[in-house]
Amino acid sequence: MGLCSLTHQIDALNILNELRDHGTGSNREGEGRCPGALAAGKVAARPGDVMKEPRRLKTIAERARENCLSRLLEILTQLISIEEDFIKDGSYGKSLLKRKDSVDLKNICLRMAVAEGGSRSDRDLRELRDCLRLIVISLLAHVRDENNLSSTVSTHRLRELSNSFPEI
């Protein structure tokens, strides 16, 4: 059951990576066309030039949400790394995480992925942050119960994560 939680977190990470890549990708319509294949009504500045669709500038709020999502992705990546270390050390117990927490994480990520136009709302980001915080708190509680040398290192890493959550 404990490995199932880790699988949900890895799935959530993959979903968020795709969401981030989709939202910040430079492969927009109009870019990468074959030379000479201009959209109707477009005129090249020089013969053979490819016209690119004008990019819409992002608002400060959109850029802030992207930065927040990137930070939450980093935190999730570090959480997965810490849990993988638990598995390697053999200190992975049945009660490491509640399955519900990792399922909630995955569901939040899925909801964000299917949001209209891939938009990220502050509410979604707050829910994602709060869910990750809850997972960090659960892991800290588990590590404190272990009370061995490897758990001391993990405790330090988890406390650093706990202090690095972005404000939304």
Side-chain angles (χ1 to χ4, degrees):
M1 182 155 116
L3 291 176
C4 187
S5 294
L6 186 59
T7 302
H8 287 297
Q9 291 174 46
I10 292 170
D11 289 346
L13 179 66
N14 291 332
I15 292 165
L16 290 176
N17 275 321
E18 287 179 23
L19 181 64
R20 182 193 60 194
D21 293 344
H22 177 71
T24 60
S26 62
N27 195 13
R28 290 180 171 57
E29 192 176 319
E31 291 185 17
R33 293 182 193 218
C34 296
L38 297 176
K42 302 281 182 183
V43 179
R46 295 182 305 217
D49 281 355
V50 175
M51 287 294 295
K52 295 180 181 178
E53 294 289 325
R55 289 187 186 175
R56 183 182 72 80
L57 295 176
K58 294 179 182 171
T59 66
I60 292 172
E62 289 170 329
R63 291 192 338 228
R65 285 184 197 103
E66 284 180 4
N67 288 338
C68 184
L69 179 63
S70 292
R71 182 64 196 128
L72 292 172
L73 268 165
E74 290 173 23
I75 289 171
L76 179 54
T77 301
Q78 291 175 28
L79 273 174
I80 291 170
S81 172
I82 291 168
E83 288 184 70
E84 287 173 339
D85 289 347
F86 280 132
I87 293 169
K88 289 176 193 170
D89 293 341
S91 59
Y92 198 87
K94 289 182 183 176
S95 63
L96 181 60
L97 276 182
K98 296 176 193 168
R99 182 177 175 169
K100 180 189 179 304
D101 294 340
S102 61
V103 170
D104 286 347
L105 175 67
K106 186 176 177 180
N107 286 338
I108 291 167
C109 295
L110 285 169
R111 187 180 65 234
M112 289 173 69
V114 297
E116 187 175 319
S119 65
R120 289 173 278 298
S121 71
D122 288 343
R123 182 179 145 257
D124 288 337
L125 290 172
R126 270 192 297 277
E127 284 184 19
L128 178 61
R129 179 200 59 200
D130 294 346
C131 187
L132 288 171
R133 262 193 190 140
L134 185 60
I135 291 171
V136 168
I137 290 167
S138 296
L139 288 174
L140 271 169
H142 174 76
V143 169
R144 286 185 192 126
D145 292 343
E146 287 295 312
N147 199 18
N148 60 35
L149 183 57
S150 66
S151 67
T152 305
V153 173
S154 297
T155 301
H156 178 71
R157 289 173 65 193
L158 287 166
R159 282 189 182 146
E160 285 179 348
L161 276 183
S162 159
N163 293 328
S164 67
F165 281 97
E167 290 299 319
I168 302 172

